[in-house]
Amino acid sequence: MNWLVIAAALSGAIAVGAGAFGAHGASGQAAEWLKTGGQYQLVHAVAALVAAQMGLRRPAWLFVAGGAIFAGSLYLMALGLPRWLGRVPPIGGALMIGGWLWLAWRAARGVRTPPQ
């Protein structure tokens, strides 16, 4: 079983659900948090799938974990949990940035994709 692909696919599904709820079922600040979380999580779910296809598991896991932490804390605040959770998204953001930097570093070193 490819746990990375499963995690990225579930992340994408959660992102679509959160974004849809933000667009159609929530209002005010909660809607903005859901839409923002959904957008970032979805982009990084796709990035994780691409990185996994390239054989770059570490950046892919950083994308999944960062997206979950970033978006998850926004989703929880949208559902009414305490606003101190607003201190958590930068941790997820740092993980996502780390994934992009790791990907760039590997590309600069001439990463090779795995055989098909």
Side-chain angles (χ1 to χ4, degrees):
M1 229 187 283
N2 190 334
W3 292 107
L4 178 55
V5 172
I6 292 168
L10 291 174
S11 182
I14 291 167
V16 171
F21 183 56
H24 304 291
S27 62
Q29 185 63 59
E32 291 303 315
W33 285 330
L34 289 164
K35 287 188 230 175
T36 299
Q39 179 182 9
Y40 276 78
Q41 189 175 18
L42 185 59
V43 166
H44 286 86
V46 172
L49 291 171
V50 171
Q53 284 299 108
M54 295 174 66
L56 301 172
R57 298 183 62 77
R58 288 184 183 111
W61 278 114
L62 287 172
F63 292 145
V64 170
I69 292 168
F70 178 87
S73 57
L74 293 177
Y75 300 158
L76 291 173
M77 288 191 312
L79 294 173
L81 270 71
R83 284 190 174 239
W84 64 260
L85 285 169
R87 296 182 187 136
V88 177
I91 296 167
L95 293 174
M96 292 184 288
I97 291 167
W100 288 112
L101 292 173
W102 197 321
L103 191 63
W105 175 70
R106 288 298 306 268
R109 292 186 61 223
V111 71
R112 293 187 179 95
T113 58
Q116 301 298 335

